[in-house]
Amino acid sequence: RRRDDDDLPKIERAFRELEKAYIDNQRGIEADLKFHLAVARASHNLFFVLTLESLRQQIAFGVELSRSLTMLDTPQRQDRVLAEHRAVIEAIRERDPQSAEAAMRAHITHAKNRMFIGHD
């Protein structure tokens, strides 16, 4: 809803870094963090940005664990993770806050399920 014309290219650039990390079979932890932080910054909600920044270490740990498990799984799992990120980008591109929220919630829920249950 609040993204401006400068935000979307930053989100897309962070996603391309993440996608390249997946293609190169790298963990892409920093790229994933950049993506989520770019999304937070696009909200133009300083509290949200500061919260993510203050939890960076804990989030990085969760991302590293999740990525480690994803790398051990089938390529389809990586495709699903990338598709979840793409859904977030598309909703932000369309300025559709309900879809953006739903896409991010789905992504976080699926990441949690992949990590703790073993499937999404």
Side-chain angles (χ1 to χ4, degrees):
R1 174 182 317 185
R2 294 185 189 109
R3 74 141 175 104
D4 59 35
D5 291 340
D6 293 332
D7 294 322
L8 193 57
K10 292 174 185 173
I11 294 168
E12 290 172 334
R13 188 171 34 256
F15 174 75
R16 284 191 303 273
E17 285 182 37
L18 179 61
E19 190 174 42
K20 183 177 180 340
Y22 273 50
I23 291 167
D24 294 344
N25 207 28
Q26 301 293 315
R27 292 191 185 209
I29 296 160
E30 189 61 32
D32 199 304
L33 289 168
K34 282 182 185 178
F35 174 82
H36 286 270
L37 195 52
V39 169
R41 287 183 175 134
S43 74
H44 295 271
N45 180 331
L46 186 58
F47 177 76
F48 191 46
V49 173
L50 291 174
T51 299
L52 274 184
E53 287 175 344
S54 71
L55 295 173
R56 185 179 186 90
Q57 226 177 345
Q58 292 81 1
I59 293 168
F61 177 81
V63 169
E64 183 170 6
L65 177 59
S66 180
R67 275 296 292 141
S68 296
L69 296 172
T70 296
M71 290 174 77
L72 295 173
D73 207 338
T74 65
Q76 291 80 16
R77 180 170 170 162
Q78 291 185 27
D79 292 342
R80 285 192 305 271
V81 172
L82 289 172
E84 291 169 12
H85 287 87
R86 279 189 205 100
V88 171
I89 293 170
E90 187 56 33
I92 292 170
R93 179 181 289 115
E94 297 298 319
R95 295 184 194 269
D96 182 345
Q98 289 81 18
S99 292
E101 179 182 354
M104 186 57 82
R105 283 187 187 277
H107 170 55
I108 292 169
T109 299
H110 290 145
K112 176 191 66 139
N113 290 345
R114 284 188 291 266
M115 203 177 326
F116 295 113
I117 300 173
H119 63 80
D120 53 353

